Amino acid sequence: MLPARGAGPAGEAREELSGGGACVESTFGGFAPAQPGAAAAMIHSLFLINASGDIFLEKHWKSVVSRSVCDYFFEAQERASEAENVPPVIPTPHHYLLSVYRHKIFFVAVIQSEVPPLFVIEFLHRVVDTFQDYFGVCSEVIIKDNVVVVYEVLEEMLDNGFPLATESNILKELIKPPTILRTVVNTITGSTNVGDQLPTGQLSVVPWRRTGVKYTNNEAYFDVIEEIDAIIDKSGSTITAEIQGVIDACVKLTGMPDLTLSFMNPRLLDDVSFHPCVRFKRWESERILSFIPPDGNFRLLSYHVSAQNLVAIPVYVKHNISFRDGSSLGRFEITVGPKQTMGKTVEGVMVTSQMPKSVLNMTLTPSQGTHVFDPVTKLLSWDVGKINPQKLPSLKGSVSLQAGTSKPDENPTINLQFKIQQLAISGLKVNRLDMYGEKYKPFKGIKYMTKAGKFQVRT
């Protein structure tokens, strides 16, 4: 992600760039307007629920929907082993509950009639992104501290239950982001954060960009971030692997620039979803991104690479985990190393493993980093840090089992977290960025990063 959401080139490991439909969310404010004959209201209510199951904020756009409707959600939550496994769509006798789980908060929308579920889920993600953009962090504490602004923003994002203004540029002109000074002034004068004028971009053909933008330093930064999900079997073969990628942008350019971004290998991109600013026909015909960018931070596109032969596995795990019949001791050895990283350093490595219930304790020695074994939850965590290819990190030792128990039926799985700077594991490369419509020369930079999503090694 862009450090500090819009930091300049100082200290950034960025490459400087050369050069002077169904997937598009296009239309008013980032979402399609209501179609004729659509239901009277799309989203009736929104509930925010914390990890403890407490509803700490609710917003209703039509009639008030009772909190008791969330009982169906709580039942599904109890059945799910983890928060991420709660079904995103839950039917009830009179409603549908659609939810997303982010920042340890469930955002639950209540729908009374059938609507496209992905439409609602995308809107909920947009709500979370907007809160993050406004407050820097999206958490229960921050939302409670800024509850007035939260209600004002939600009132503008939905009109009578339908998404209206979801672009950050428009919202920030409608509702001013909170600052300490503005809060003090509002408290003294009794005024609010609501803007006095209609946003300049609201009625233009490019509603995502306000007019009259001026900067002393003109900069355009692009972050290619790829997340790899993989399951590796005990022999080291890949069972499944796929890459979810995004290109996040921070564009601070004066005037109304028209940008084109080209790739060296655009055919790698599959299942692409664009920001409304992208001209989809140009992409279809030439595989070039042509767009008038929003001002500030935005997600230009997201993509998917699922072809098994295109997904390189950047790390490997050598493991020897064994339990003997009739013995209360077992052996545990794992070594982590880099693979297909183009010489880039693998860092931020964290290894976790859920040990069998019969394990009492583990006596382990790491060659680097620190490890913790929780005898209650049976979770082993090893914070490795950076991997040095000349001296691979390893964790070795013995496992103590409960006396009289048979050896575990199956070995534990190993989960990995890691990140690799300046590498897009799919091989995607930006070729050049060109600007038209303005005469100045902006600074242009690109940064790549690969990180682990759900990366699992079976033993």
Side-chain angles (χ1 to χ4, degrees):
M1 300 291 286
L2 286 167
R5 296 301 275 163
E12 284 293 315
R14 291 181 186 273
E15 297 175 19
E16 189 171 349
L17 288 171
S18 62
C23 293
V24 188
E25 296 164 4
S26 189
T27 67
F28 188 60
F31 278 91
Q35 297 299 316
M42 182 176 142
I43 297 175
H44 259 68
S45 302
L46 175 67
F47 293 96
L48 270 57
I49 303 172
N50 62 20
S52 306
D54 300 322
I55 300 171
F56 66 91
L57 186 137
E58 58 186 277
K59 170 74 176 140
H60 307 278
W61 282 272
K62 294 287 282 182
S63 57
V64 175
V65 176
S66 171
R67 284 187 171 201
S68 61
V69 74
C70 293
D71 291 345
Y72 295 96
F73 177 82
F74 295 139
E75 288 174 12
Q77 191 179 6
E78 283 179 17
R79 288 194 296 269
S81 56
E82 297 177 13
E84 290 85 354
N85 294 337
V86 175
V89 181
I90 300 170
T92 75
H94 303 291
H95 304 88
Y96 293 96
L97 305 181
L98 289 90
S99 65
V100 298
Y101 180 70
R102 288 180 61 182
H103 307 291
K104 299 183 180 178
I105 299 172
F106 287 100
F107 293 76
V108 183
V110 180
I111 315 297
Q112 280 201 332
S113 54
E114 200 166 316
V115 296
L118 290 179
F119 197 80
V120 181
I121 287 170
E122 171 63 21
F123 173 76
L124 292 176
H125 281 297
R126 196 69 66 91
V127 169
V128 183
D129 294 340
T130 301
F131 288 171
Q132 221 169 350
D133 200 21
Y134 261 74
F135 311 126
V137 178
C138 181
S139 68
E140 181 183 352
V141 174
I142 293 293
I143 290 172
K144 284 179 176 178
D145 288 346
N146 296 277
V147 69
V148 174
V149 178
V150 167
Y151 276 112
E152 288 171 343
V153 168
L154 289 174
E155 196 63 48
E156 296 298 339
M157 293 186 79
L158 273 189
D159 179 31
N160 203 34
F162 286 96
L164 177 62
T166 60
E167 282 296 331
S168 188
N169 282 303
I170 293 173
L171 285 167
K172 284 182 177 175
E173 288 189 70
L174 285 166
I175 310 294
K176 304 296 182 188
T179 62
I180 295 173
L181 179 62
R182 191 171 287 134
T183 304
V184 172
V185 171
N186 289 352
T187 305
I188 295 170
T189 63
S191 55
T192 68
N193 290 335
V194 179
D196 298 326
Q197 296 177 327
L198 189 69
T200 52
Q202 183 89 33
L203 302 176
S204 73
V205 291
V206 281
W208 51 85
R209 187 174 181 86
R210 59 192 174 92
T211 57
V213 180
K214 289 185 180 179
Y215 287 103
T216 305
N217 298 317
N218 291 286
E219 305 164 331
Y221 301 114
F222 295 87
D223 288 3
V224 180
I225 302 168
E226 295 190 339
E227 195 170 272
I228 179 168
D229 298 330
I231 298 175
I232 313 297
D233 69 11
K234 62 193 304 180
S235 65
S237 302
T238 304
I239 297 174
T240 178
E242 60 181 28
I243 294 168
Q244 310 285 347
V246 298
I247 298 181
D248 285 335
C250 178
V251 177
K252 297 186 176 181
L253 299 175
T254 300
M256 195 67 75
D258 200 325
L259 305 180
T260 60
L261 186 73
S262 60
F263 301 96
M264 292 183 181
N265 41 8
R267 299 291 169 187
L268 281 174
L269 300 179
D270 187 22
D271 191 18
V272 189
S273 175
F274 300 102
H275 187 277
C277 67
V278 175
R279 298 179 178 102
F280 188 52
K281 286 191 175 179
R282 178 92 185 264
W283 170 261
E284 276 193 309
S285 59
E286 302 176 46
R287 284 293 187 264
I288 288 175
L289 294 176
S290 173
F291 57 99
I292 296 174
D295 179 41
N297 300 296
F298 65 100
R299 178 153 292 173
L300 182 62
L301 76 140
S302 56
Y303 60 91
H304 186 76
V305 179
S306 57
Q308 200 91 341
N309 57 335
L310 293 177
V311 181
I313 305 298
V315 296
Y316 69 86
V317 178
K318 286 183 179 176
H319 48 81
N320 178 18
I321 303 173
S322 58
F323 304 100
R324 292 193 299 274
D325 281 319
S327 172
S328 61
L329 286 176
R331 188 76 192 151
F332 186 95
E333 294 181 12
I334 56 173
T335 303
V336 185
K339 183 174 73 169
Q340 297 176 298
T341 61
M342 309 287 286
K344 306 295 183 185
T345 304
V346 183
E347 55 189 39
V349 180
M350 173 68 81
V351 179
T352 58
S353 182
Q354 185 68 53
M355 302 303 290
K357 291 181 180 178
S358 57
V359 172
L360 274 179
N361 208 347
M362 302 182 76
T363 307
L364 305 172
T365 305
S367 64
Q368 77 174 63
T370 56
H371 78 286
V372 176
F373 174 71
D374 188 330
V376 178
T377 61
K378 313 297 183 188
L379 182 68
L380 170 67
S381 301
W382 177 28
D383 188 351
V384 181
K386 285 185 181 180
I387 294 180
N388 179 359
Q390 272 70 49
K391 189 182 179 184
L392 297 178
S394 62
L395 183 66
K396 300 179 181 180
S398 60
V399 182
S400 301
L401 302 176
Q402 292 175 9
T405 58
S406 58
K407 76 170 189 175
D409 295 331
E410 55 186 32
N411 279 355
T413 57
I414 297 169
N415 297 297
L416 269 81
Q417 289 294 320
F418 57 82
K419 59 182 178 181
I420 308 168
Q421 302 285 358
Q422 292 304 324
L423 174 71
I425 198 69
S426 68
L428 184 69
K429 266 287 200 193
V430 173
N431 181 27
R432 61 186 289 134
L433 175 73
D434 294 300
M435 185 181 78
Y436 305 94
E438 300 291 342
K439 294 182 179 177
Y440 56 83
K441 282 193 173 181
F443 180 86
K444 300 168 284 187
I446 182 76
K447 188 173 77 171
Y448 300 91
M449 186 172 79
T450 296
K451 58 182 181 179
K454 291 185 177 179
F455 196 98
Q456 187 181 89
V457 179
R458 295 175 178 172
T459 63

